[in-house]
Amino acid sequence: MAVAAFAALTGCSGDVQSEREYATPTLLCGIAVKATSVAPFLPGGSSLSLAEAEPVRGTKRCVIRVDGKPALVASQEWREKGARITAVALDNQHIDMKAYETSGSYLYDAGGAVARVEPCEGPSLKGDLFTAIEVHSPDLGSTSAMEHLIMEYRESVKVSAACSPK
């Protein structure tokens, strides 16, 4: 009954939740998040792994794989000062730019989100820091769950070593 209640609250079907044989992470490569915030976007499976990558200077990605397949990517990305949030979102293929919602400092839909981290001054990089979440299973989660996850991830990045408040 608890699983069914959790599934109803998170937007997951009972079947997906019961198929999970792995623990939902509470850290996305060192950035704290609640398991209940990440869970709606993860598919069923037997194993979960996290891998951190820096594909280019100023970009960090945390890739969650379920049974070896990409499920969710959380990233931090430095851009030039004043960069438009829509330009950052266009670089993230899982955000539907036709159906997004925005507050000006963050933009989201069920498949992904981007948020500007303010105030933030990097230890060695200048400009604006953005966080992004991309979901690789479009049938999981919801727009409201994504809004919650990107806000939580952004706030955790703001107090991490990646960002020193001004």
Side-chain angles (χ1 to χ4, degrees):
M1 186 157 125
V3 169
F6 176 76
L9 288 173
T10 62
C12 291
S13 72
D15 294 335
V16 171
Q17 179 65 24
S18 65
E19 292 175 11
R20 288 191 190 133
E21 298 174 24
Y22 56 83
T24 303
T26 57
L27 290 175
L28 297 179
C29 298
I31 303 298
V33 291
K34 293 177 186 158
T36 54
S37 299
V38 177
F41 303 102
L42 299 179
S46 59
S47 67
L48 179 139
S49 64
L50 286 108
E52 189 170 342
E54 283 192 51
V56 296
R57 186 172 187 265
T59 299
K60 288 186 180 183
R61 288 204 170 93
C62 184
V63 180
I64 297 178
R65 294 181 187 281
V66 174
D67 294 340
K69 297 176 185 169
L72 185 141
V73 177
S75 59
Q76 302 167 38
E77 197 173 317
W78 285 95
R79 294 285 183 109
E80 67 279 356
K81 189 79 175 154
R84 290 182 28 233
I85 198 162
T86 52
V88 178
L90 285 169
D91 290 342
N92 294 278
Q93 67 184 31
H94 295 279
I95 299 173
D96 182 357
M97 291 299 292
K98 295 177 186 161
Y100 70 88
E101 296 180 35
T102 186
S103 74
S105 65
Y106 62 99
L107 174 148
Y108 61 97
D109 75 357
V114 173
R116 184 184 313 269
V117 182
E118 294 177 306
C120 184
E121 187 174 308
S124 62
L125 298 168
K126 301 295 178 208
D128 289 338
L129 180 61
F130 290 87
T131 54
I133 303 285
E134 292 182 75
V135 178
H136 288 256
S137 297
D139 55 331
L140 297 178
S142 68
T143 302
S144 62
M146 180 56 70
E147 179 184 23
H148 179 78
L149 178 57
I150 194 63
M151 297 297 292
E152 184 178 334
Y153 185 63
R154 175 179 75 175
E155 292 307 307
S156 290
V157 167
K158 189 188 297 188
V159 297
S160 75
C163 184
S164 304
K166 293 179 181 176

